[in-house]
Amino acid sequence: MLHQPHPYPYSMPIRIVFNLHINPPPMPRCLGGGTLSSKLQKWRIGKLKLTPMTRLQYAVDAALGLAAVHDIDGEGLSSVAHGDLKGQQYLFMNGAMKLGDFNRGRFLRRNSTAPQTACTYTIGKNDGVFRSPEEYNYLPQTSAIDVYALGSILYEILTGKPVWDEKDSKDSRKFIMKGRLPKIDKKILESDDLVDVALREAISMCYVFDPKDRAKAADIASYLEEKQSELQKITNVTSRTSIKRQKTDEKEMMGRPKNEIQLE
């Protein structure tokens, strides 16, 4: 029998309730793996080792989870906005990272006068320092707010620090409203590590002031998957080259006189 793929590989299933908000089904008591935020916090304080490729995998999964929610009604126009995207909402379940907690989520109706766009909405109180400029300016919102928030998650995956960690929350929100971006340490900003480069580019795709110009979650997921594939190929080639070199060295050692080997 062929294995059937899980119907929700990157997000928790969504349940509609009578107030037209979006909620997940009851959460299982034992998730086992914790949240993305908890893993990044342990990494930050030195209690967990995360390799660059592991962090890139987290970034890929975070983007895929959001893309799955945005495209729940098929590719193209988003019909759902999460509305509260942050690391705590990504849960590790059976080895997979899934997006949950849709209590601030909104269904997005198609605009009857402009069918290629969705109707906008607003929420009365937007807290935190991870949200988009339009949220803190209390302007009409779309699913693009989630993409900006994804940038804040990727920022923490890149730097190990929560976004705007060194600033007062009120001041940070004012900066975001004006389009200012959180600083990245010079060492990370100038790093030529391929994972750092990929994460910086993905963040720049998210942190776009005008929501109309912001990339879609699916585009960011595709970009990160592409970079991940490229890095895996490089890693595989490097590994094969290293093994081949090791075998060559072993053959050379076996062909040399014993006394010559001992003298070294």
Side-chain angles (χ1 to χ4, degrees):
M1 180 181 293
L2 292 175
H3 174 70
Q4 295 296 321
H6 194 280
Y8 305 100
Y10 300 109
S11 70
M12 297 288 290
I14 297 174
R15 176 184 65 189
I16 305 172
V17 293
F18 290 112
N19 61 1
L20 297 183
H21 289 184
I22 307 171
N23 281 317
M27 300 295 289
R29 286 189 175 185
C30 184
L31 295 174
T35 67
L36 176 59
S37 284
S38 65
K39 288 187 180 294
L40 293 177
Q41 182 181 21
K42 289 179 181 178
W43 171 53
R44 182 164 58 250
I45 62 178
K47 289 188 175 182
L48 180 66
K49 183 178 180 180
L50 296 179
T51 66
M53 289 300 286
T54 298
R55 292 189 293 118
L56 181 58
Q57 184 65 59
Y58 288 170
V60 169
D61 289 347
L64 285 171
L66 180 59
V69 170
H70 280 186
D71 290 340
I72 201 167
D73 201 26
E75 291 186 8
L77 186 66
S78 297
S79 55
V80 174
H82 186 281
D84 199 29
L85 196 75
K86 47 191 174 183
Q88 294 96 313
Q89 321 297 28
Y90 284 95
L91 314 171
F92 285 87
M93 303 175 64
N94 300 321
M97 193 171 83
K98 297 191 178 187
L99 175 58
D101 194 348
F102 300 91
N103 66 304
R104 274 176 64 107
R106 294 293 186 275
F107 285 110
L108 305 177
R109 297 181 179 179
R110 189 177 294 273
N111 190 334
S112 60
T113 59
Q116 299 306 313
T117 64
C119 294
T120 59
Y121 69 96
T122 56
I123 293 180
K125 185 177 181 180
N126 296 316
D127 59 359
V129 293
F130 61 92
R131 301 182 186 279
S132 64
E134 59 267 30
E135 288 175 275
Y136 294 129
N137 281 306
Y138 291 91
L139 297 173
Q141 299 167 28
T142 66
S143 61
I145 65 171
D146 294 337
V147 175
Y148 195 96
L150 176 63
S152 296
I153 293 173
L154 299 180
Y155 177 95
E156 187 170 357
I157 293 174
L158 171 65
T159 67
K161 299 178 181 179
V163 70
W164 297 104
D165 188 41
E166 299 174 358
K167 296 287 185 181
D168 175 77
S169 295
K170 189 174 181 180
D171 290 339
S172 299
R173 286 192 283 270
K174 288 180 179 179
F175 291 150
I176 296 169
M177 289 166 67
K178 295 177 181 178
R180 288 183 58 178
L181 301 177
K183 291 183 178 180
I184 297 176
D185 291 343
K186 185 178 180 181
K187 182 179 179 181
I188 299 175
L189 194 60
E190 296 179 351
S191 169
D192 58 1
D193 178 89
L194 295 179
V195 171
D196 289 347
V197 172
L199 289 173
R200 290 200 308 262
E201 178 60 25
I203 291 169
S204 71
M205 295 169 70
C206 298
Y207 277 168
V208 176
F209 186 81
D210 190 337
K212 294 179 182 178
D213 297 330
R214 218 169 283 155
K216 294 184 180 296
D219 296 332
I220 296 165
S222 295
Y223 168 78
L224 288 170
E225 283 188 305
E226 179 183 344
K227 293 303 175 183
Q228 183 185 47
S229 178
E230 290 176 5
L231 284 169
Q232 286 173 340
K233 289 178 181 178
I234 293 172
T235 301
N236 291 339
V237 170
T238 303
S239 178
R240 287 197 298 268
T241 302
S242 177
I243 293 172
K244 186 176 180 180
R245 185 182 297 115
Q246 182 180 354
K247 289 182 178 179
T248 301
D249 291 344
E250 289 174 353
K251 287 181 180 180
E252 290 179 354
M253 290 290 288
M254 290 176 66
R256 294 166 64 182
K258 289 184 178 180
N259 61 341
E260 183 181 348
I261 297 173
Q262 290 170 353
L263 286 173
E264 293 181 358

